[in-house]
PDB file of all heavy atoms in Angstrom:
ATOM      1  N   ARG L 291     -15.525  34.558 -67.809  1.00 98.00           N
ATOM      2  CA  ARG L 291     -15.080  35.312 -68.985  1.00 98.00           C
ATOM      3  C   ARG L 291     -16.317  35.892 -69.674  1.00 98.00           C
ATOM      4  O   ARG L 291     -17.317  35.199 -69.850  1.00 98.00           O
ATOM      5  CB  ARG L 291     -14.315  34.402 -69.955  1.00 98.00           C
ATOM      6  CG  ARG L 291     -13.813  35.162 -71.168  1.00 98.00           C
ATOM      7  CD  ARG L 291     -12.866  34.341 -71.987  1.00 98.00           C
ATOM      8  NE  ARG L 291     -11.642  34.045 -71.241  1.00 98.00           N
ATOM      9  CZ  ARG L 291     -10.681  33.240 -71.676  1.00 98.00           C
ATOM     10  NH1 ARG L 291     -10.806  32.657 -72.846  1.00 98.00           N
ATOM     11  NH2 ARG L 291      -9.609  33.020 -70.956  1.00 98.00           N
ATOM     12  N   GLY L 292     -16.255  37.138 -70.024  1.00 97.00           N
ATOM     13  CA  GLY L 292     -17.416  37.792 -70.621  1.00 97.00           C
ATOM     14  C   GLY L 292     -18.100  38.701 -69.609  1.00 97.00           C
ATOM     15  O   GLY L 292     -18.983  39.478 -69.947  1.00 97.00           O
ATOM     16  N   GLY L 293     -17.708  38.550 -68.319  1.00 96.00           N
ATOM     17  CA  GLY L 293     -18.194  39.503 -67.315  1.00 96.00           C
ATOM     18  C   GLY L 293     -19.304  38.991 -66.415  1.00 96.00           C
ATOM     19  O   GLY L 293     -19.587  39.594 -65.387  1.00 96.00           O
ATOM     20  N   GLU L 294     -19.957  37.877 -66.798  1.00 97.00           N
ATOM     21  CA  GLU L 294     -21.049  37.379 -65.955  1.00 97.00           C
ATOM     22  C   GLU L 294     -20.513  36.989 -64.570  1.00 97.00           C
ATOM     23  O   GLU L 294     -19.391  36.480 -64.446  1.00 97.00           O
ATOM     24  CB  GLU L 294     -21.689  36.148 -66.613  1.00 97.00           C
ATOM     25  CG  GLU L 294     -22.995  35.717 -65.953  1.00 97.00           C
ATOM     26  CD  GLU L 294     -23.521  34.382 -66.514  1.00 97.00           C
ATOM     27  OE1 GLU L 294     -23.010  33.916 -67.550  1.00 97.00           O
ATOM     28  OE2 GLU L 294     -24.423  33.824 -65.887  1.00 97.00           O
ATOM     29  N   GLU L 295     -21.316  37.230 -63.532  1.00 98.00           N
ATOM     30  CA  GLU L 295     -20.909  36.859 -62.177  1.00 98.00           C
ATOM     31  C   GLU L 295     -21.941  35.924 -61.557  1.00 98.00           C
ATOM     32  O   GLU L 295     -23.147  36.091 -61.747  1.00 98.00           O
ATOM     33  CB  GLU L 295     -20.763  38.107 -61.303  1.00 98.00           C
ATOM     34  CG  GLU L 295     -19.550  38.940 -61.678  1.00 98.00           C
ATOM     35  CD  GLU L 295     -19.358  40.130 -60.752  1.00 98.00           C
ATOM     36  OE1 GLU L 295     -20.370  40.663 -60.234  1.00 98.00           O
ATOM     37  OE2 GLU L 295     -18.203  40.516 -60.557  1.00 98.00           O
ATOM     38  N   LEU L 296     -21.440  34.930 -60.826  1.00 98.00           N
ATOM     39  CA  LEU L 296     -22.305  34.003 -60.097  1.00 98.00           C
ATOM     40  C   LEU L 296     -21.846  34.020 -58.651  1.00 98.00           C
ATOM     41  O   LEU L 296     -20.685  34.324 -58.362  1.00 98.00           O
ATOM     42  CB  LEU L 296     -22.175  32.582 -60.658  1.00 98.00           C
ATOM     43  CG  LEU L 296     -22.447  32.385 -62.154  1.00 98.00           C
ATOM     44  CD1 LEU L 296     -22.096  30.960 -62.570  1.00 98.00           C
ATOM     45  CD2 LEU L 296     -23.913  32.674 -62.466  1.00 98.00           C
ATOM     46  N   CYS L 297     -22.760  33.675 -57.755  1.00 98.00           N
ATOM     47  CA  CYS L 297     -22.372  33.717 -56.350  1.00 98.00           C
ATOM     48  C   CYS L 297     -22.801  32.433 -55.636  1.00 98.00           C
ATOM     49  O   CYS L 297     -23.892  31.909 -55.891  1.00 98.00           O
ATOM     50  CB  CYS L 297     -23.034  34.929 -55.692  1.00 98.00           C
ATOM     51  SG  CYS L 297     -22.354  35.236 -54.062  1.00 98.00           S
ATOM     52  N   GLY L 298     -21.934  31.929 -54.776  1.00 98.00           N
ATOM     53  CA  GLY L 298     -22.275  30.742 -53.998  1.00 98.00           C
ATOM     54  C   GLY L 298     -22.064  31.021 -52.519  1.00 98.00           C
ATOM     55  O   GLY L 298     -21.151  31.765 -52.154  1.00 98.00           O
ATOM     56  N   ARG L 299     -22.907  30.420 -51.681  1.00 98.00           N
ATOM     57  CA  ARG L 299     -22.630  30.544 -50.237  1.00 98.00           C
ATOM     58  C   ARG L 299     -21.298  29.850 -49.956  1.00 98.00           C
ATOM     59  O   ARG L 299     -20.577  30.224 -49.048  1.00 98.00           O
ATOM     60  CB  ARG L 299     -23.768  29.913 -49.432  1.00 98.00           C
ATOM     61  CG  ARG L 299     -25.059  30.736 -49.536  1.00 98.00           C
ATOM     62  CD  ARG L 299     -26.252  29.963 -49.043  1.00 98.00           C
ATOM     63  NE  ARG L 299     -26.271  29.822 -47.601  1.00 98.00           N
ATOM     64  CZ  ARG L 299     -27.076  28.976 -46.951  1.00 98.00           C
ATOM     65  NH1 ARG L 299     -27.903  28.191 -47.633  1.00 98.00           N
ATOM     66  NH2 ARG L 299     -27.056  28.909 -45.640  1.00 98.00           N
ATOM     67  N   PHE L 300     -21.013  28.821 -50.761  1.00 98.00           N
ATOM     68  CA  PHE L 300     -19.691  28.203 -50.770  1.00 98.00           C
ATOM     69  C   PHE L 300     -19.289  27.947 -52.212  1.00 98.00           C
ATOM     70  O   PHE L 300     -20.153  27.784 -53.085  1.00 98.00           O
ATOM     71  CB  PHE L 300     -19.692  26.874 -50.001  1.00 98.00           C
ATOM     72  CG  PHE L 300     -19.654  27.067 -48.507  1.00 98.00           C
ATOM     73  CD1 PHE L 300     -20.830  27.048 -47.767  1.00 98.00           C
ATOM     74  CD2 PHE L 300     -18.453  27.295 -47.850  1.00 98.00           C
ATOM     75  CE1 PHE L 300     -20.805  27.245 -46.394  1.00 98.00           C
ATOM     76  CE2 PHE L 300     -18.420  27.496 -46.477  1.00 98.00           C
ATOM     77  CZ  PHE L 300     -19.599  27.466 -45.746  1.00 98.00           C
ATOM     78  N   VAL L 301     -17.968  27.904 -52.433  1.00 98.00           N
ATOM     79  CA  VAL L 301     -17.439  27.552 -53.759  1.00 98.00           C
ATOM     80  C   VAL L 301     -16.487  26.374 -53.575  1.00 98.00           C
ATOM     81  O   VAL L 301     -15.621  26.407 -52.693  1.00 98.00           O
ATOM     82  CB  VAL L 301     -16.658  28.736 -54.390  1.00 98.00           C
ATOM     83  CG1 VAL L 301     -16.056  28.326 -55.734  1.00 98.00           C
ATOM     84  CG2 VAL L 301     -17.561  29.952 -54.557  1.00 98.00           C
ATOM     85  N   ILE L 302     -16.679  25.330 -54.372  1.00 98.00           N
ATOM     86  CA  ILE L 302     -15.704  24.232 -54.368  1.00 98.00           C
ATOM     87  C   ILE L 302     -14.883  24.357 -55.650  1.00 98.00           C
ATOM     88  O   ILE L 302     -15.420  24.281 -56.755  1.00 98.00           O
ATOM     89  CB  ILE L 302     -16.404  22.861 -54.250  1.00 98.00           C
ATOM     90  CG1 ILE L 302     -17.071  22.766 -52.866  1.00 98.00           C
ATOM     91  CG2 ILE L 302     -15.396  21.726 -54.451  1.00 98.00           C
ATOM     92  CD1 ILE L 302     -17.737  21.454 -52.547  1.00 98.00           C
ATOM     93  N   GLY L 303     -13.597  24.608 -55.481  1.00 98.00           N
ATOM     94  CA  GLY L 303     -12.688  24.746 -56.623  1.00 98.00           C
ATOM     95  C   GLY L 303     -12.165  23.370 -56.998  1.00 98.00           C
ATOM     96  O   GLY L 303     -11.368  22.785 -56.273  1.00 98.00           O
ATOM     97  N   ALA L 304     -12.653  22.850 -58.123  1.00 98.00           N
ATOM     98  CA  ALA L 304     -12.229  21.520 -58.585  1.00 98.00           C
ATOM     99  C   ALA L 304     -11.796  21.650 -60.039  1.00 98.00           C
ATOM    100  O   ALA L 304     -12.114  20.814 -60.877  1.00 98.00           O
ATOM    101  CB  ALA L 304     -13.377  20.522 -58.433  1.00 98.00           C
ATOM    102  N   ASP L 305     -11.062  22.740 -60.308  1.00 98.00           N
ATOM    103  CA  ASP L 305     -10.732  23.070 -61.695  1.00 98.00           C
ATOM    104  C   ASP L 305      -9.336  22.608 -62.105  1.00 98.00           C
ATOM    105  O   ASP L 305      -8.690  23.222 -62.947  1.00 98.00           O
ATOM    106  CB  ASP L 305     -10.934  24.576 -61.961  1.00 98.00           C
ATOM    107  CG  ASP L 305     -10.347  25.474 -60.880  1.00 98.00           C
ATOM    108  OD1 ASP L 305     -10.039  24.969 -59.789  1.00 98.00           O
ATOM    109  OD2 ASP L 305     -10.194  26.680 -61.130  1.00 98.00           O
ATOM    110  N   GLY L 306      -8.878  21.512 -61.508  1.00 98.00           N
ATOM    111  CA  GLY L 306      -7.699  20.830 -62.034  1.00 98.00           C
ATOM    112  C   GLY L 306      -6.369  21.456 -61.639  1.00 98.00           C
ATOM    113  O   GLY L 306      -6.295  22.400 -60.858  1.00 98.00           O
ATOM    114  N   ALA L 307      -5.299  20.881 -62.209  1.00 97.00           N
ATOM    115  CA  ALA L 307      -3.934  21.248 -61.818  1.00 97.00           C
ATOM    116  C   ALA L 307      -3.627  22.725 -62.081  1.00 97.00           C
ATOM    117  O   ALA L 307      -2.883  23.355 -61.338  1.00 97.00           O
ATOM    118  CB  ALA L 307      -2.939  20.364 -62.565  1.00 97.00           C
ATOM    119  N   ASN L 308      -4.198  23.279 -63.162  1.00 96.00           N
ATOM    120  CA  ASN L 308      -3.944  24.697 -63.482  1.00 96.00           C
ATOM    121  C   ASN L 308      -5.026  25.590 -62.882  1.00 96.00           C
ATOM    122  O   ASN L 308      -5.374  26.626 -63.454  1.00 96.00           O
ATOM    123  CB  ASN L 308      -3.911  24.893 -65.007  1.00 96.00           C
ATOM    124  CG  ASN L 308      -2.718  24.191 -65.630  1.00 96.00           C
ATOM    125  OD1 ASN L 308      -1.636  24.168 -65.050  1.00 96.00           O
ATOM    126  ND2 ASN L 308      -2.909  23.607 -66.805  1.00 96.00           N
TER     127      ASN L 308
END
Side-chain angles (χ1 to χ4, degrees):
R291 181 170 295 174
E294 191 187 348
E295 289 184 329
L296 304 173
C297 191
R299 290 166 73 193
F300 282 96
V301 177
I302 294 183
D305 46 345
N308 293 323

